[in-house]
Amino acid sequence: MNEQNCLQKIRNLGVRLQELELVQLEPGKSYAATALNFLFADHGAQRPAGAPLDHTLRALGEAIVANRKVRFSQLDPDSVIDFFCRFYRVH
């Protein structure tokens, strides 16, 4: 999945999180940034500052593997997005 599609899915995830009243969009923040901040905080992980999207999603994948009982030892960025889209029922 290219970066544009990844960002769109993360944005949609942010919109869904707001619909579920799990986050509130802060002034000056995007839905994508809000979603990523929530997901990192929810998994007790530090979001890498200034890192490319690929690196950020890999770090989130490591947090998923560490905090949830998944069958995988490593998740690629696309799998991380798909995991949360399924979990929060984002299309």
Side-chain angles (χ1 to χ4, degrees):
M1 177 179 331
N2 66 33
E3 189 168 323
Q4 182 73 21
N5 289 342
C6 284
L7 287 172
Q8 184 61 45
K9 282 192 168 193
I10 296 169
R11 181 196 175 285
N12 293 346
L13 182 58
V15 171
R16 178 69 175 147
L17 291 172
Q18 186 175 24
E19 289 172 351
L20 295 171
E21 298 179 357
L22 295 173
V23 299
Q24 286 187 339
L25 194 63
E26 297 175 20
K29 294 275 188 173
S30 68
Y31 282 107
T34 300
L36 287 172
N37 289 339
F38 170 80
L39 296 172
F40 272 98
D42 192 44
H43 286 83
Q46 183 78 20
R47 181 176 172 191
L53 182 59
D54 185 66
H55 179 74
T56 300
L57 292 173
R58 287 185 190 281
L60 187 52
E62 291 171 8
I64 292 168
V65 170
N67 293 325
R68 297 184 182 246
K69 294 182 180 183
V70 293
R71 297 180 298 197
F72 309 103
S73 61
Q74 184 176 356
L75 296 173
D76 66 26
D78 293 342
S79 298
V80 171
I81 293 171
D82 289 341
F83 175 83
F84 286 113
C85 285
R86 276 190 240 125
F87 187 79
Y88 291 106
R89 297 182 183 193
V90 176
H91 302 286

